[in-house]
mmCIF file of all heavy atoms in Angstrom:
data_model
loop_
_atom_site.group_PDB
_atom_site.id
_atom_site.type_symbol
_atom_site.label_atom_id
_atom_site.label_comp_id
_atom_site.label_asym_id
_atom_site.label_seq_id
_atom_site.Cartn_x
_atom_site.Cartn_y
_atom_site.Cartn_z
ATOM 1 N N LEU A 29 23.837 91.303 128.124
ATOM 2 C CA LEU A 29 24.356 90.310 127.195
ATOM 3 C C LEU A 29 24.226 88.949 127.866
ATOM 4 O O LEU A 29 24.820 88.709 128.917
ATOM 5 C CB LEU A 29 25.818 90.579 126.844
ATOM 6 C CG LEU A 29 26.503 89.552 125.941
ATOM 7 C CD1 LEU A 29 25.827 89.484 124.576
ATOM 8 C CD2 LEU A 29 27.981 89.869 125.807
ATOM 9 N N ASP A 36 24.046 72.243 122.560
ATOM 10 C CA ASP A 36 22.963 72.146 121.581
ATOM 11 C C ASP A 36 21.698 72.708 122.208
ATOM 12 O O ASP A 36 20.850 71.959 122.702
ATOM 13 C CB ASP A 36 22.757 70.698 121.134
ATOM 14 C CG ASP A 36 21.789 70.602 119.955
ATOM 15 O OD1 ASP A 36 21.175 71.627 119.574
ATOM 16 O OD2 ASP A 36 21.652 69.490 119.419
ATOM 17 N N ASP A 48 14.457 81.258 126.125
ATOM 18 C CA ASP A 48 13.190 81.661 125.506
ATOM 19 C C ASP A 48 12.421 82.641 126.383
ATOM 20 O O ASP A 48 11.710 83.512 125.867
ATOM 21 C CB ASP A 48 12.317 80.439 125.198
ATOM 22 C CG ASP A 48 12.847 79.630 124.026
ATOM 23 O OD1 ASP A 48 13.742 80.121 123.296
ATOM 24 O OD2 ASP A 48 12.357 78.492 123.837
ATOM 25 N N THR A 57 20.501 90.906 124.729
ATOM 26 C CA THR A 57 21.094 90.295 123.543
ATOM 27 C C THR A 57 21.450 88.866 123.904
ATOM 28 O O THR A 57 22.226 88.634 124.836
ATOM 29 C CB THR A 57 22.386 91.040 123.123
ATOM 30 O OG1 THR A 57 22.071 92.401 122.862
ATOM 31 C CG2 THR A 57 23.021 90.391 121.910
ATOM 32 N N VAL A 58 20.868 87.896 123.195
ATOM 33 C CA VAL A 58 21.189 86.483 123.416
ATOM 34 C C VAL A 58 22.331 86.109 122.472
ATOM 35 O O VAL A 58 22.241 86.311 121.260
ATOM 36 C CB VAL A 58 19.956 85.586 123.166
ATOM 37 C CG1 VAL A 58 20.339 84.115 123.296
ATOM 38 C CG2 VAL A 58 18.828 85.946 124.133
ATOM 39 N N ALA A 77 34.200 93.285 121.993
ATOM 40 C CA ALA A 77 33.323 94.403 121.623
ATOM 41 C C ALA A 77 31.919 94.188 122.176
ATOM 42 O O ALA A 77 31.288 95.132 122.666
ATOM 43 C CB ALA A 77 33.290 94.573 120.106
ATOM 44 N N ALA A 131 24.524 81.863 135.606
ATOM 45 C CA ALA A 131 23.268 81.117 135.647
ATOM 46 C C ALA A 131 23.546 79.697 135.174
ATOM 47 O O ALA A 131 23.969 79.501 134.032
ATOM 48 C CB ALA A 131 22.226 81.785 134.754
ATOM 49 N N GLU A 152 28.115 76.392 144.458
ATOM 50 C CA GLU A 152 28.993 77.573 144.524
ATOM 51 C C GLU A 152 30.437 77.161 144.781
ATOM 52 O O GLU A 152 31.370 77.724 144.196
ATOM 53 C CB GLU A 152 28.530 78.542 145.618
ATOM 54 C CG GLU A 152 27.228 79.245 145.322
ATOM 55 C CD GLU A 152 25.990 78.456 145.745
ATOM 56 O OE1 GLU A 152 26.105 77.283 146.188
ATOM 57 O OE2 GLU A 152 24.889 79.006 145.622
ATOM 58 N N CYS A 165 38.445 89.988 137.049
ATOM 59 C CA CYS A 165 38.058 90.872 135.945
ATOM 60 C C CYS A 165 37.318 92.125 136.423
ATOM 61 O O CYS A 165 36.896 92.940 135.599
ATOM 62 C CB CYS A 165 37.199 90.109 134.938
ATOM 63 S SG CYS A 165 38.103 88.802 134.078
ATOM 64 N N PHE A 180 16.834 65.077 136.169
ATOM 65 C CA PHE A 180 16.161 64.168 137.096
ATOM 66 C C PHE A 180 15.363 64.966 138.120
ATOM 67 O O PHE A 180 15.936 65.521 139.049
ATOM 68 C CB PHE A 180 17.182 63.303 137.846
ATOM 69 C CG PHE A 180 18.149 62.596 136.969
ATOM 70 C CD1 PHE A 180 19.418 63.109 136.755
ATOM 71 C CD2 PHE A 180 17.802 61.415 136.341
ATOM 72 C CE1 PHE A 180 20.325 62.447 135.945
ATOM 73 C CE2 PHE A 180 18.698 60.746 135.523
ATOM 74 C CZ PHE A 180 19.965 61.263 135.321
ATOM 75 N N SER A 183 10.011 69.397 137.571
ATOM 76 C CA SER A 183 8.689 69.318 136.940
ATOM 77 C C SER A 183 8.525 70.433 135.912
ATOM 78 O O SER A 183 9.232 71.443 135.953
ATOM 79 C CB SER A 183 7.592 69.427 137.996
ATOM 80 O OG SER A 183 7.546 70.752 138.513
#
Side-chain angles (χ1 to χ4, degrees):
L29 176 62
D36 189 353
D48 287 347
T57 301
V58 176
E152 291 86 354
C165 294
F180 308 98
S183 70

